[in-house]
Amino acid sequence: MPINLKDSAAIEKMRIAGKLAAEVLEMIEPFVKKGVNTAELDRICHDYIVNTQNAIPAPLNYGKTTTRAGFPNATCISVNEVICHGIPSKTKTLKSGDIVNIDVTVIKDGYHGDTSKMYIVDKALSFNERLVVVAQECLYKGIEVAKPGNYLSNIASKIAKHARNSGYSVVEDYCGHGIGTVFHEEPQVLHYPEAYNNLKNDIQLVEGMTFTIEPMINAGKKTTKLLSDQWTVVTRDRSNSAQWEHTILITDTGCEVLTKRNDETF
Ligand code: MF3
Ligand code: CO
Ligand code: CO
């Protein structure tokens, strides 16, 4: 199946969408405090995306099938043992020590920007802080080897090595993805190298590819469980999980992080 390479006009639009998604994560930061509920955080993001950015929140109504309703909110907010796709809720009130992933995807001028980061509420517990830091390092180590000539398996190897050396596991049931005018397009970006033992799954990186890297790192076992709402994914052992995500563009010499925030230097 073909991977859609982006020309310079598409890349310019991806840069804009990526920047907007990053700005949502920066905007929401001061609101991630103990006592706030995740529906309120989602509402603030939704209003900012729609009214200030004049963009579209891609998750809203996404993924409707015959057996599952579309995602009900503008953002995914995943707390503690929730790995990903947490549904914002009025009854999910943040407390001191919680670790929170907010995952933002905006559509601007037809193109998607997809990014997430972890927030620690109030005072970090040292074991949570370490998980969050290692998960971010996993993303950065993957980004370091995202360059033409390398393979998706090189990214996965770096991520999994760091996670496992730190005593953590890498989620295998969810992955990164190509992105452009379509939210989730080819290729699948798996974050563990065993996925590429069958070489036909592996893909060599080429200038013009745009995809996400979004490792989910568990403090305990790698196995996941889908809750009855058909969206929320939790660790089966209920250990905590951390995820960071960027949308990147493969350039002639390396990659450009399209969803870079101001606190980051690439
Ligand atoms: N933003 C998620 C990702 O990184 C996808 C969320 S799909 C939703 O791919 F429907 F759950 F919002
Ligand atoms: Co995302
Ligand atoms: Co994504």
Side-chain angles (χ1 to χ4, degrees):
M1 288 291 232
I3 292 170
N4 171 24
L5 301 181
K6 275 71 181 179
D7 63 15
S8 59
I11 288 167
E12 205 37 61
K13 291 177 182 179
M14 291 291 291
R15 285 195 179 107
I16 292 166
K19 180 75 185 155
L20 291 176
E23 284 172 356
V24 177
L25 294 182
E26 294 174 334
M27 177 282 299
I28 200 64
E29 214 256 346
F31 297 98
V32 186
K33 291 272 145 41
K34 66 177 171 185
V36 75
N37 67 67
T38 58
E40 173 69 3
L41 295 176
D42 178 72
R43 185 193 62 76
I44 296 166
C45 291
H46 174 277
D47 292 354
Y48 188 78
I49 293 166
V50 171
N51 300 322
T52 301
Q53 298 185 330
N54 295 308
I56 298 166
L60 191 59
N61 300 315
Y62 177 83
K64 181 175 158 38
T65 67
T66 49
T67 54
R68 177 178 72 170
F71 191 79
N73 290 84
T75 62
C76 299
I77 306 186
S78 303
V79 181
N80 295 337
E81 75 281 4
V82 180
I83 296 171
C84 62
H85 306 167
I87 297 176
S89 166
K90 278 191 315 216
T91 62
K92 186 67 193 174
T93 299
L94 298 183
K95 58 185 193 307
S96 182
D98 281 347
I99 59 169
V100 183
N101 176 277
I102 303 183
D103 192 339
V104 169
T105 311
V106 305
I107 309 171
K108 182 72 170 183
D109 207 2
Y111 283 82
H112 291 73
D114 185 8
T115 184
S116 80
K117 65 161 286 188
M118 298 300 297
Y119 303 85
I120 301 184
V121 180
D122 197 27
K123 275 207 166 32
L125 302 163
S126 58
F127 62 91
N128 274 337
E129 170 122 55
R130 181 168 172 274
L131 175 64
V132 165
V133 168
V134 168
Q136 185 176 36
E137 290 166 351
C138 285
L139 171 60
Y140 289 171
K141 284 175 184 289
I143 287 172
E144 265 174 40
V145 294
K147 56 172 114 177
N150 275 356
Y151 287 79
L152 287 179
S153 57
N154 297 121
I155 297 173
S157 294
K158 289 283 183 189
I159 290 169
K161 186 170 181 203
H162 187 52
R164 293 166 182 171
N165 284 344
S166 305
Y168 301 140
S169 63
V170 179
V171 170
E172 299 181 0
D173 300 339
Y174 298 85
C175 60
H177 49 92
I179 182 168
T181 58
V182 175
F183 193 167
H184 297 106
E185 62 182 34
E186 290 190 57
Q188 286 194 32
V189 178
L190 292 142
H191 303 107
Y192 64 107
E194 297 77 13
Y196 300 103
N197 282 348
N198 181 345
L199 288 178
K200 79 170 166 37
N201 297 335
D202 209 354
I203 283 165
Q204 193 169 30
L205 306 179
V206 173
E207 184 178 356
M209 286 180 177
T210 52
F211 58 86
T212 73
I213 306 176
E214 49 180 301
M216 288 144 271
I217 307 301
N218 294 351
K221 293 203 169 76
K222 68 185 178 186
T223 46
T224 69
K225 182 178 164 59
L226 181 65
L227 297 188
S228 59
D229 62 27
Q230 296 295 304
W231 280 108
T232 309
V233 180
V234 300
T235 56
R236 207 164 256 283
D237 63 10
R238 301 302 198 270
S239 63
N240 280 353
S241 185
Q243 179 180 31
W244 298 74
E245 175 177 24
H246 274 310
T247 299
I248 69 167
L249 161 73
I250 301 298
T251 63
D252 55 345
T253 55
C255 75
E256 182 179 329
V257 179
L258 300 175
T259 47
K260 186 181 100 57
R261 298 181 305 278
N262 284 323
D263 64 292
E264 294 177 306
T265 47
F266 290 106

